[in-house]
Amino acid sequence: MDSIPILKIGSALLVTIQVDMHDQLATQLQEDLTTRIVEHHARGVLIDISALEIVDSFIGRMLANIASVSRLLDADTVVVGMRPEVAITLVELGLGLPGVKTALNAERGLALIGGVARDEAAAGDGDDD
Amino acid sequence: MATTTETLAIVSGDDVVRVRQKVRVRATEAGLSLVDQTKLITAASELARNTLDYGKGGHADIMTVNDTARRGVRIVFRDQGPGIPDVALALTDGFTSGNGLGHGLGGARRLVDDFDIQTAVGQGTTVTIARWRK
């Protein structure tokens, strides 16, 4: 079975969803990401959904679950690139995705995660002495 | 007048993806706006999954409707599953008997122009939806 590649950039993991996912693939991504967060001590997860033409309740739930699980594992999740029509549909569906951070594009998303990492690095420097 | 009905079997997760793809083609052909297309495909995805998960598999009839009054896409999801004992409850947000977020049926209804559900315990469920070009 095919799987969705997970790239490591610094202390962040990057996932670009480029296929119309069937449910099993979405579930597998959730498990793979959880493993990789721990493996790489990742501080952030960036999920690019700009290629997704729809987000239904199943994929919405997957995104919310990834955000919850990664938070428990001390990593921030940012979903980037949601299409406007997808956002409109999600709200009407009743899924505001509470607890899921979003950014308009990957650059801003990385800045969000990078910002978190930098803040912590600065705080860490202060504690070292 | 409904034209060229296409019937797809829904027996696996891949079939749910296939329903989405076919509905997209029809919605584009019917001239629905991008937002309307997205709403219809999302509703179809929810209902196809219901057919698979709760109805234990079934069929989707996808048709383009093109008459003097209106133009759009109508989809009928039918299964021979256990049926829904309390439809009003099933349409309530937050209700789920499965593993969704409980937005499937009620959410799907909000995303379309026409929504009809026929169900009885032991008799299966038929859900008909349509979205029209504005």
Side-chain angles (χ1 to χ4, degrees):
Chain A
M1 199 177 79
D2 44 341
S3 64
I4 296 170
I6 301 171
L7 305 177
K8 186 174 182 297
I9 301 178
S11 59
L13 297 177
L14 173 66
V15 179
T16 304
I17 301 174
Q18 278 171 326
V19 292
D20 190 352
M21 282 189 295
H22 51 83
D23 295 357
Q24 217 182 331
L25 191 57
T27 309
Q28 199 201 325
L29 172 64
Q30 204 175 306
E31 289 170 11
D32 290 351
L33 256 179
T34 309
T35 314
R36 297 287 292 274
I37 289 170
V38 175
E39 224 172 73
H40 296 302
H41 306 287
R43 303 311 305 270
V45 178
L46 198 73
I47 304 175
D48 181 1
I49 61 164
S50 57
L52 279 191
E53 293 175 333
I54 69 146
V55 173
D56 62 9
S57 64
F58 191 89
I59 296 172
R61 186 174 66 110
M62 176 202 78
L63 294 173
N65 283 355
I66 289 173
S68 301
V69 172
S70 62
R71 190 159 44 239
L72 289 176
L73 297 173
D74 197 21
D76 254 9
T77 300
V78 183
V79 171
V80 303
M82 186 182 292
R83 298 185 183 194
E85 61 274 17
V86 169
I88 291 170
T89 302
L90 263 183
V91 169
E92 204 142 323
L93 193 59
L95 280 175
L97 296 186
V100 179
K101 277 189 195 159
T102 55
L104 274 185
N105 54 45
E107 202 178 350
R108 288 204 207 178
L110 270 178
L112 262 182
I113 293 172
V116 171
R118 264 197 307 278
D119 290 349
E120 279 167 0
D125 287 345
D127 291 343
D128 280 344
D129 300 318
Chain B
M1 187 181 69
T3 49
T4 56
T5 300
E6 194 172 358
T7 298
L8 297 178
I10 303 173
V11 291
S12 74
D14 285 338
D15 294 328
V16 176
V17 174
R18 207 163 295 127
V19 167
R20 288 203 289 258
Q21 290 164 347
K22 294 285 184 190
V23 171
R24 171 167 295 281
V25 171
R26 292 300 184 107
T28 311
E29 281 170 4
L32 296 187
S33 73
L34 188 54
V35 171
D36 286 350
Q37 285 177 35
T38 306
K39 287 181 179 177
L40 181 67
I41 298 161
T42 307
S45 184
E46 299 293 339
L47 295 171
R49 186 177 296 106
N50 281 356
T51 300
L52 179 65
D53 291 348
Y54 305 128
K56 310 203 181 304
H59 293 86
D61 305 312
I62 308 169
M63 61 201 90
T64 309
V65 180
N66 197 358
D67 55 33
T68 47
R70 56 191 181 176
R71 196 171 169 196
V73 179
R74 178 184 291 137
I75 314 157
V76 182
F77 297 88
R78 47 195 170 86
D79 67 60
Q80 302 294 316
I84 303 170
D86 188 339
V87 176
L89 181 65
L91 282 166
T92 310
D93 266 8
F95 174 81
T96 178
S97 57
N99 59 1
L101 271 173
H103 291 276
L105 209 50
R109 181 169 62 167
R110 281 195 298 276
L111 294 175
V112 294
D113 294 317
D114 295 357
F115 183 96
D116 176 73
I117 181 164
Q118 302 293 329
T119 184
V121 173
Q123 311 263 302
T125 301
T126 300
V127 180
T128 305
I129 59 171
R131 184 105 206 170
W132 308 109
R133 190 166 81 168
K134 303 298 183 299

